[in-house]
Each structure stands twice: as structure tokens, then as C-alpha cells.
Amino acid sequence: MFARIYMACMIQTQFVGVSFILMQLKMINSQLGHIALASSLVNELLRLAFGLMSGFLYTFNVSERAGVQTIIFSLIFLVLILTLMKRLMLVVVRITPEGQPVKEIYATVTVATVFLISTWGDSIGLNYLVGPLILGLVLPARSPLAEILIAKFDTIVSGFLLPLMAMLYASKVDLWQIMKEFESLLIFKISLIGFTMKVAATFFLAKFCKIPTRHAVALALILNAKGINELGTLGSYSTFRDIHSTSGIFLIFLLQALQPLVKMLYHPAEHYLSYKKMSVEHASGDAEFKILTCAYRQEDAVAAIKLLEYSNPTQESPLSVHGLCLEELVSSFTPLLINHQLGQKNSSSKGSRSQPIVDIFRYLKSEHKKSVQVQVFTAISPLKQMHEDICWLSFNKSCSLIVLPFHKKWNSKGKMVSNNNDLRNLNIKVLELAPCSVGILIDRTRTHGLSSIFNTSATYRVATIFVGGPDDREALAYALRMARSPEVHLTVVRFIGHDDHAHQRWQFMIDEDLMRRLRSEMSGGTNINYIEKKVRDGSDTSSTIKSMVGDLDLIMVGRSSHGTDSEALSGLSEWTDLPELGPIGDLLASEDTTCPVSVLVVQQQIRKESPKIAWKFW
């Protein structure tokens, strides 16, 4: 009996184990992670179905009456869970006020119900995990009930009990005894051979599906990785008195050492490396302008919609907007990327924070039916890995610009009310890995909520700060597109230091080419002003910018203007608190700026080489 359990732990693939390992490797919402999750889930369902059928057939062979009773009781068991238990949990979710946690009594009763269902299922001949599994599947994901269950038990289980169990089992392993009696460890050797054969089979199947070699090796290691589940199963049936028990524990610890190899073989950013110029500056003026707009809150979507409405969408140069609602994964191991065009819905959509954001993006489509195309998605994943969804979607949709919300928020009185460091780290990762240009939108408008969408003024006053360099050119190129709309009044302020032309001569030549395009646009319209300021250092630049912000609705700046060696920025970089915004963006986002002006900090696409992989011979 123990030998069967021993070898089963070595060769089986468990969905929960794969999910846990992918979370540890921070690959759960990568392309390879999605393949691994789907494969392990199908395997788990087939294994469960095969186990149930085998149990029924065995019962029938023993006694036909007992087999019929088992089937009847199992059907009653499933029907009660899928109807009564599901309805009761939905009632608990429905009576809980939006934004409020579920009462403690409901969480306690739910936990007690899990134990009762597990005992009941075991008593009628089912596996003791079948009942809790089905109950977990019918529990609405990301609902208040699911969140409180995770909050109550995840910390104590993952942070205390599981490490304690691993330490207990590790203390039972006598490595010297295993080495001394290695010749007699037949089960150990057979299990290791079986594990190796399963890894090889997974690899060749992945190669048959035309997965690259390195990725196929990484996928094989992920699907065959051993973790805390196998350790607990083997430990439950071990006596720790014989060498076979301790050798199984040692083998699981040994196979866990293979997990770091996955990060050496696979880098998620490989999937969205762009070898084309995907930026606003290099986009054709009469082509479809594709933007990925991300929103974490309703206010983010409102601010982005206002920017998009003034981006001059026309039938000749339409706007293709891909709205992405960012929702943190807190009560599940399975990340989701929901495509609302395909009719996909969040399982808790009635109370979902993303639904108002989806409605705001759809409002944009309804207002500009002929000139704007809108597709809305919802990314539900851990914030630390959410940049994978953003970068992949922008690459897949060939977007020229990603618009991200700033991590700080202000109220109608100009007082900062929130500062989300997780969102800031997300923005930094997107800036590092994005396959196209990136803009961070700092919303400091005093009117919040849906009413601000309808309160549109006849003139939208925009200014672009230009010092030089690719990021400043990207900001100016976007501003020039907006200036084609008669509702936009654009002011371009160019700061020139005394010796700036001596540095970065090639960049200066490209800057001048864009300046000629600016003068050409000015000759065809009266809504563009050009101002040239000669400054000595960053303090002159800072005072000039502060004097003009009060009369503007939006300021567009580049993240790194010409490099910080420009005289116009000298001294500013030394006082930068938010380097992801650059010196001018940091100045405009500081607490010293109290005017209700929005700021868009733009970084032009950074052309990257393939990520460095430890083993290049594949």
C-alpha cells in the first residue's frame, strides 16, 4: 500500500501544486503559466473522474446493491451541493453590503460545512476531497465570502503550519542512513525512474505541440514539480521508522531543487518583445491609432476617457481603444484575462469593481460610434505579476501607447487621499518591459465621478514641455495629434540651455526634424503656440513651469528629457523622489504643485534585445 502511494506522489500532477509553484516563481499569468494551469486542471479532472468510476465499478463487483446505493447517495450529495449549498452561499454574498466584509459567523459556518461535507462524502464511498472541491467550485470567486476565508486561513496555513510541517518532516530524514543503504532502496529508485520518464514524456509532447525546446523543458519541470501537497500525502502514510519512508521525504525535497531551473530556462518577457517601432512618433498620421488604457479605479477610467476624447478621433484617423480593468487576485490561485467582447463575465460581476469601469469605456464607444473602436478586458491577477497581462495585451493588439494610472490620488480639495505603492511598482515594471510607448496619467482634476465626463469645456488647454530626446519627442507627437482637434489649444514650451546643442548631436538633429513638423502644423492652424525659453539651470526651468500650470488642463512631458545632462535640467534630478516620472514629471507630481492640472508623463518605446537566459545552447 505504501509503495503505491510513494510512487503515485512521484508521478502525479496536481492542479493546486502547479498553481502554488507558479505563484512562487511569479509566472502564474505568463503564457507558459497558462498552459501549465490548463494542462494540470484537465489532468486533475480526468484523474478525479477515473477515480470515481473505478470506485463505482469496484463497489458493483463487491455487491450490486451497494453499488446502486453508492450512486444514489452520490447523486443526492452532488445535487445538494450544487443547489442548496450554492444558493445559501449566494444569499450570504447578496446580504453583505458592498465593500463590507462578511460576518464572522458566516465564515465559521462555511468552514464547519466543509468538514461535514468531506466526512459525508467519505462515508458514502467518495474521495474525501470531492465534496470540498465541488463546494469550492460553486463558491463565487472574488466574492466577500471567498475573500474572508482566504484572509482568515491563508496566513496561518501558508505562513505557519506548512513551514512547520516541512521542518518536522525534514528533521526525520537521516541523509547518512540513506547513503549507507542506497542499494536496498528499490522503491526510491523505481519512483525516480518513473519521475524521469514522466518528465521526458511531457517534454516530447510539448515539442510535438511545437513549443520551443527551452520552454518545453521548463513546462515539463513545472508540471512535474513536487511540493507541499506530495510532502503532506507521503508524510501522512509514513511511519518514519523505516528507510523507505524517510527516503520518500528526501526525494521530494531533492526534486524541489529543480524549480529554480525554470527561471533559468524561461523568461515571460520573451513573448512580447517587439522588433517594430511601436510609438506615437513613428505611427502613421492617417492610420488607426491604438491605445491600451489601464484603470484600477473608476476615477482612472474617467480621467483616461477625457484624454481619449481630446485625442482627435476621426473617421480618417480612428482611435482603437483597448480598455483594461485591473483587478487584484485575492481569493483564488487562477488568474483570468476576461474578454468582454466574447460575452465573458466575472463570476462575481454584480459586485465586481470592474463593472463600472467597463461601462465607462462603453460610454466612449457610444459617443463616438464612427471614429472610435473600443474593446474592454479585465485582468484579474496578483499585482506583482499584472505587468505580464498589460505587456502581453499591448503586444497582441499592436498598440502604440499604454496609458497607466498614477499611484497617488487627490480629492476635490487637492489633498492626497491615497498612495498605492503596489500600483507604483506595477508602473515601474511596465516601463521596463513594455513593447511600446508608455504614458503615466496623473489626474489632479477637482471634479471626480461620472459627472466630470459630461462637464467638457469648449477649449482644452494643453502644454508640452520640450527639452529634447526621444521621450520629449513622443510627448510632442501625441500633443500634435491632439492639436488637430479645434477644441484643443496647444502651447509648446521649449527649454534650451546655453551648451545643450553640444551634447547628443544626433538627438538634436532628430529634435529639429520634429520642430520643422511643428512649424508646418502651426502654419495650417491657429491653435498652436510655440515658446522658446533660454535657461541657465534647472531652477530657471522649475520656476517657469510653476508659473504656467495654473492656466492649463493638461501638461505633457517626456520621462527622461535628453538625459539629465541638459543644462535646462541641471539640479532637478538630485531632488527627484519618483524617478519613474523623470525630473519634470516628478516636479509636477510633487506636493508643491496644488493646481488642478493633469499631467501625462510619456516614455517612448525602448527597443530591447531578447532577455538574457542562463543556457543559450538551445
Side-chain angles (χ1 to χ4, degrees):
M1 179 66 180
F2 178 73
R4 291 172 57 189
I5 296 171
Y6 193 137
M7 287 184 282
C9 287
M10 295 303 117
I11 62 175
Q12 69 181 359
T13 298
Q14 293 189 7
F15 174 74
V16 175
V18 171
S19 302
F20 188 73
I21 289 163
L22 287 171
M23 287 285 285
Q24 288 183 319
L25 296 173
K26 298 181 180 179
M27 293 182 180
I28 194 162
N29 58 342
S30 64
Q31 296 301 302
L32 202 65
H34 291 162
I35 295 173
L37 286 174
S39 303
S40 60
L41 180 59
V42 171
N43 174 79
E44 188 85 3
L45 293 176
L46 290 175
R47 187 170 62 87
L48 183 61
F50 180 76
L52 290 174
M53 290 300 298
S54 300
F56 288 145
L57 291 175
Y58 176 77
T59 307
F60 266 105
N61 290 332
V62 174
S63 170
E64 291 185 4
R65 182 180 177 181
V68 172
Q69 287 180 344
T70 301
I71 292 178
I72 294 174
F73 288 144
S74 299
L75 289 175
I76 295 173
F77 178 74
L78 294 175
V79 169
L80 284 175
I81 294 178
L82 295 174
T83 55
L84 179 62
M85 295 305 303
K86 181 179 180 181
R87 189 176 295 273
L88 289 175
M89 288 190 294
L90 290 176
V91 169
V92 171
V93 173
R94 195 177 298 117
I95 64 177
T96 302
E98 187 174 349
Q100 297 295 320
V102 172
K103 293 182 179 179
E104 292 286 335
I105 184 64
Y106 297 141
T108 305
V109 170
T110 303
V111 174
T113 303
V114 171
F115 288 109
L116 288 174
I117 286 177
S118 178
T119 305
W120 182 20
D122 186 61
S123 66
I124 62 176
L126 297 175
N127 189 298
Y128 71 96
L129 293 175
V130 172
L133 173 64
I134 298 174
L135 189 65
L137 290 174
V138 300
L139 175 66
R142 293 164 295 279
S143 64
L145 183 58
E147 290 180 3
I148 194 172
L149 292 175
I150 291 293
K152 285 177 70 67
F153 300 107
D154 185 62
T155 301
I156 189 171
V157 172
S158 300
F160 178 69
L161 294 179
L162 292 184
L164 187 64
M165 183 184 74
M167 289 176 60
L168 174 64
Y169 290 161
S171 66
K172 304 293 183 180
V173 176
D174 188 346
L175 186 58
W176 295 112
Q177 185 184 6
I178 293 173
M179 294 174 63
K180 188 185 301 182
E181 302 183 25
F182 185 77
E183 295 295 330
S184 62
L185 297 179
L186 183 61
I187 303 177
F188 180 92
K189 295 175 183 177
I190 293 175
S191 298
L192 188 57
I193 292 172
F195 172 82
T196 306
M197 291 176 64
K198 187 167 181 284
V199 171
T202 309
F203 167 76
F204 287 117
L205 185 60
K207 284 297 294 178
F208 179 76
C209 296
K210 299 181 179 180
I211 295 177
T213 303
R214 279 190 295 103
H215 298 178
V217 175
L219 180 62
L221 292 175
I222 291 172
L223 290 176
N224 292 281
K226 304 304 167 190
I228 202 71
N229 297 308
E230 290 80 11
L231 190 64
T233 302
L234 195 58
S236 300
Y237 292 93
S238 298
T239 60
F240 299 108
R241 295 175 183 174
D242 62 343
I243 187 63
H244 295 293
S245 299
T246 56
S247 69
I249 302 294
F250 170 69
L251 183 57
I252 290 176
F253 280 115
L254 183 65
L255 295 178
Q256 282 186 322
L258 298 175
Q259 295 179 21
L261 294 178
V262 176
K263 302 208 76 164
M264 298 173 65
L265 292 166
Y266 175 73
H267 196 291
E270 293 179 69
H271 290 290
Y272 45 79
L273 279 175
S274 179
Y275 298 98
K276 297 194 303 182
K277 292 181 178 180
M278 304 298 297
S279 62
V280 182
E281 181 185 3
H282 299 102
S284 176
D286 55 353
E288 188 178 40
F289 183 40
K290 297 181 180 181
I291 299 180
L292 175 63
T293 305
C294 303
Y296 190 68
R297 300 181 182 86
Q298 183 175 327
E299 293 81 5
D300 302 332
V302 171
I305 291 300
K306 195 165 187 179
L307 173 69
L308 295 171
E309 284 190 312
Y310 287 108
S311 296
N312 191 36
T314 62
Q315 290 184 342
E316 294 77 21
S317 180
L319 201 63
S320 179
V321 178
H322 303 280
L324 183 61
C325 312
L326 307 178
E327 192 167 335
E328 186 177 6
L329 181 69
V330 293
S331 58
S332 173
F333 269 144
T334 310
L336 296 174
L337 182 61
I338 301 172
N339 186 344
H340 295 281
Q341 286 65 244
L342 299 179
Q344 297 176 350
K345 294 183 179 180
N346 192 337
S347 59
S348 56
S349 57
K350 288 186 178 179
S352 173
R353 180 171 51 82
S354 64
Q355 191 57 43
I357 301 175
V358 173
D359 295 336
I360 291 172
F361 281 115
R362 286 175 174 167
Y363 162 80
L364 176 66
K365 169 63 178 175
S366 65
E367 290 295 306
H368 304 272
K369 294 181 178 178
K370 295 183 178 181
S371 57
V372 176
Q373 295 293 325
V374 177
Q375 290 184 309
V376 188
F377 303 84
T378 296
I380 304 174
S381 60
L383 273 177
K384 292 182 179 180
Q385 287 100 55
M386 197 173 283
H387 62 280
E388 302 286 352
D389 290 320
I390 297 173
C391 294
W392 166 249
L393 189 60
S394 65
F395 175 79
N396 190 42
K397 299 299 180 181
S398 301
C399 295
S400 298
L401 180 67
I402 300 172
V403 178
L404 300 169
F406 190 51
H407 65 278
K408 293 183 180 180
K409 298 297 172 188
W410 293 265
N411 61 13
S412 57
K413 297 180 181 180
K415 182 180 178 181
M416 188 174 70
V417 292
S418 69
N419 185 0
N420 191 332
N421 280 322
D422 290 332
L423 192 58
R424 181 192 176 191
N425 293 330
L426 172 64
N427 291 347
I428 293 173
K429 289 180 180 178
V430 174
L431 287 168
E432 292 174 355
L433 300 172
C436 63
S437 298
V438 182
I440 297 179
L441 182 59
I442 305 171
D443 179 30
R444 305 189 78 152
T445 54
R446 298 291 169 85
T447 55
H448 295 283
L450 295 176
S451 59
S452 61
I453 299 180
F454 307 104
N455 297 335
T456 56
S457 57
T459 303
Y460 193 62
R461 300 160 299 176
V462 180
T464 301
I465 309 298
F466 190 90
V467 178
D471 293 349
D472 280 15
R473 292 197 300 271
E474 188 74 0
L476 181 55
Y478 191 9
L480 289 176
R481 178 187 172 89
M482 297 177 68
R484 294 172 194 163
S485 170
E487 299 175 344
V488 175
H489 188 280
L490 174 63
T491 301
V492 180
V493 183
R494 186 179 188 184
F495 291 99
I496 301 176
H498 291 292
D499 296 327
D500 278 359
H501 297 174
H503 304 288
Q504 302 283 345
R505 184 168 297 276
W506 173 248
Q507 290 292 335
F508 176 73
M509 292 172 62
I510 304 176
D511 293 343
E512 287 301 311
D513 185 60
L514 186 60
M515 289 295 108
R516 285 191 288 271
R517 177 182 160 190
L518 170 63
R519 295 184 188 99
S520 175
E521 295 277 352
M522 291 174 61
S523 63
T526 58
N527 61 334
I528 302 178
N529 290 334
Y530 175 71
I531 302 173
E532 200 168 277
K533 293 275 189 180
K534 289 194 175 182
V535 292
R536 294 171 298 176
D537 51 25
S539 62
D540 285 355
T541 304
S542 174
S543 58
T544 304
I545 292 174
K546 288 180 179 179
S547 66
M548 59 186 281
V549 296
D551 300 324
L552 298 169
D553 297 306
L554 174 68
I555 298 179
M556 305 177 73
V557 301
R559 181 191 176 196
S560 58
S561 302
H562 219 297
T564 53
D565 57 351
S566 171
E567 283 192 358
L569 300 176
S570 61
L572 286 181
S573 58
E574 299 174 5
W575 303 96
T576 300
D577 294 325
L578 304 171
E580 68 271 19
L581 299 181
I584 297 180
D586 179 79
L587 173 68
L588 294 170
S590 65
E591 296 181 2
D592 297 335
T593 304
T594 57
C595 297
V597 57
S598 296
V599 180
L600 183 66
V601 181
V602 182
Q603 172 187 278
Q604 193 176 73
Q605 175 200 21
I606 301 175
R607 304 285 293 279
K608 308 177 188 69
E609 297 180 357
S610 180
K612 293 182 178 179
I613 305 296
W615 295 347
K616 281 288 187 180
F617 49 84
W618 269 308

